[in-house]
Amino acid sequence: MPIGESVVNSVLFKSWLQQNGGGFHPHAHFTEAPSGSCIIANENIPSDATIVTCPFELAITEELAQKSLLNFMDLNDVITTKCWTERQWISLYLCFHWIVGESSDTFSPESYLPYHAYLNTLPPREKLRTPLHFTLAEMEMFKGTNLYGATLDRERQWRVEWNLCHTMVERANSDWGSRFTWELYLTAATYISSRAFPSSLLSRIPTLQSSPSTHPILLPGIDSLNHARGQPVSWVVSYPDEANTNISKEVPSISLVLHTPAVPGQELLNNYGAKPNSELILGYGFSLPNNPDDTIILKIGGIEGKKWEVGRSARGVEGLWDEIVYSIQQDPTSSPNYDDRLDAAGALEDMSQALLDRLPTDNIKDAGARPDVASMWQNYVEGQRAILSSVVEFAREQERLAVEDARADGIEIVVEG
């Protein structure tokens, strides 16, 4: 996107947001960034300042998407059977902004598709960096990691979703169907994975914690700020005073408040919560160096349905260790003896070392990876290696303790290295 066009789009978006009851701090300014755009301070901004506000009625939700799409497509059967995900509804809704455009002879798109000003500020497809936007060579770099398999699973799932949506769009209008490509759906779905918030943010006590009852929503403007781990922010929900009829025009809104001051030229940053690099890369398209929140998902062969999320310094490995010990015990009704623990330690070490050996080596140069993808690879693999190495050390410590207990009982055990 040309720089001039980007500036115009940000001005139009700010104006659109303000006209609809929201707005940015007067000193918050859009600027170009490798990822598309970011928000900087163009003058001093004090701490505890409200940076951006979005009214609830501008939130893009599954309900909004359904209501809007029904104006020009018969999707009642889909609604009745509930066979589409929230991502399908919202993605298709976003896609129709591009399929139909800002003018149409068929219907008045501004009545049902009013988010062009918002979508025009989002990064174009060529700037998206989640794994489904990697080149084949870049994707091959991640072979041997959990992220590689997770990416393949996500592509399979999203392609199924797109095919189901495409069938309905093609049935409604063949011209729309030809425009509703996989690449278009992928772009919209990526916006959702990288920008959506849980609907719990719109409660009277807003929270980023998801639950089975929450669903993804897009909040124009609120999603404009990039992420910084540990950045002190608050989500403030405002409701009109129902007892005061003089302000009946006010609507519920959500605001993002930053608790640190900013100087001119400094980027204004949000906090997406504690997330491992696997989640940041798969969902958002970036990573953090030496991310303390990194984790790896471990499973035991032969035990279906159970997974353990283990972090750096073997944080959270105890549940996995207990399961391995239990599966090895000759007599599960009694406490494990040192033989059980020695066998369990050996099994945990062998499993962890095998995963370590599978991790990819430094093949970035051969892949010709783009710099930002290479950085993600380095940060991700470093975290996975650090976690698995700590699990190996945990297993060796359990082995040492079991040997000590055996010696205390007068039994000498020699562990071969």
Side-chain angles (χ1 to χ4, degrees), residues 50-88:
T50 297
I51 302 302
V52 58
T53 297
C54 176
F56 284 14
E57 61 185 21
L58 282 188
I60 302 176
T61 64
E62 177 188 16
E63 293 74 22
L64 169 70
Q66 290 181 356
K67 182 178 178 181
S68 300
L69 290 169
L70 283 173
N71 284 288
F72 45 95
M73 291 180 65
D74 182 6
L75 297 170
N76 283 299
D77 288 346
V78 180
I79 294 175
T80 301
T81 57
K82 298 181 179 180
C83 59
W84 281 9
T85 65
E86 293 139 340
R87 179 173 48 252
Q88 284 173 281

Side-chain angles (χ1 to χ4, degrees), residues 25-324:
H25 189 283
H27 301 326
H29 177 70
F30 276 86
T31 190
E32 290 285 312
S35 60
S37 66
C38 64
I39 305 293
I40 65 168
N42 58 8
E43 292 188 31
N44 288 320
I45 296 179
S47 58
D48 305 320
T50 297
I51 302 302
V52 58
T53 297
C54 176
F56 284 14
E57 61 185 21
L58 282 188
I60 302 176
T61 64
E62 177 188 16
E63 293 74 22
L64 169 70
Q66 290 181 356
K67 182 178 178 181
S68 300
L69 290 169
L70 283 173
N71 284 288
F72 45 95
M73 291 180 65
D74 182 6
L75 297 170
N76 283 299
D77 288 346
V78 180
I79 294 175
T80 301
T81 57
K82 298 181 179 180
C83 59
W84 281 9
T85 65
E86 293 139 340
R87 179 173 48 252
Q88 284 173 281
W89 282 109
I90 297 175
S91 294
L92 182 59
Y93 178 58
L94 297 183
C95 286
F96 258 92
H97 285 75
W98 305 314
I99 293 170
V100 175
E102 298 188 50
S103 62
S104 170
D105 296 330
T106 308
F107 53 84
S108 175
E110 60 270 12
S111 301
Y112 313 123
L113 305 168
Y115 290 92
H116 289 282
Y118 164 60
L119 292 175
N120 288 342
T121 65
L122 304 187
R125 182 162 61 92
E126 60 269 18
K127 288 195 173 184
L128 298 176
R129 288 295 185 271
T130 56
L132 290 185
H133 298 273
F134 288 175
T135 66
L136 290 177
E138 287 169 346
M139 196 62 236
E140 286 294 301
M141 289 164 41
F142 288 84
K143 264 193 170 178
T145 70
N146 287 354
L147 185 61
Y148 184 84
T151 300
L152 298 182
D153 289 344
R154 172 162 290 191
E155 180 170 6
R156 281 190 290 267
Q157 179 185 6
W158 286 12
R159 281 190 179 274
V160 168
E161 293 175 357
W162 168 68
N163 275 307
L164 291 172
C165 291
H166 187 268
T167 298
M168 301 303 293
V169 175
E170 180 73 25
R171 184 180 303 171
N173 184 301
S174 60
D175 182 50
W176 292 348
S178 67
R179 300 183 192 183
F180 182 47
T181 62
W182 158 246
E183 288 75 19
L184 209 64
Y185 184 84
L186 173 59
T187 300
T190 302
Y191 288 157
I192 296 171
S193 78
S194 61
R195 309 183 82 87
F197 297 94
S199 56
S200 52
L201 267 185
L202 302 187
S203 63
R204 288 188 177 269
I205 304 177
T207 175
L208 283 172
Q209 293 296 320
S210 298
S211 72
S213 63
T214 62
H215 48 271
I217 59 173
L218 291 171
L219 298 172
I222 299 290
D223 62 1
S224 298
L225 279 68
N226 291 323
H227 169 67
R229 185 181 183 276
Q231 176 75 11
V233 304
S234 290
W235 306 92
V236 179
V237 169
S238 302
Y239 285 85
D241 186 349
E242 297 175 357
N244 187 346
T245 57
N246 293 328
I247 59 172
S248 59
K249 292 184 179 181
E250 291 190 14
V251 295
S253 63
I254 182 167
S255 299
L256 179 62
V257 176
L258 303 192
H259 296 303
T260 53
V263 298
Q266 179 179 338
E267 184 175 1
L268 305 179
L269 295 164
N270 191 2
N271 184 348
Y272 301 172
K275 298 181 184 298
N277 276 334
S278 55
E279 184 176 350
L280 292 176
I281 295 171
L282 185 62
Y284 297 83
F286 71 91
S287 64
L288 300 176
N290 303 306
N291 187 351
D293 301 312
D294 271 337
T295 60
I296 189 171
I297 301 298
L298 298 176
K299 298 181 290 185
I300 302 175
I303 300 180
E304 295 293 334
K306 283 192 175 183
K307 299 178 181 180
W308 288 266
E309 188 172 14
V310 180
R312 290 176 183 263
S313 301
R315 184 182 69 251
V317 78
E318 292 80 10
L320 173 62
W321 166 250
D322 290 342
E323 186 71 30
I324 293 174

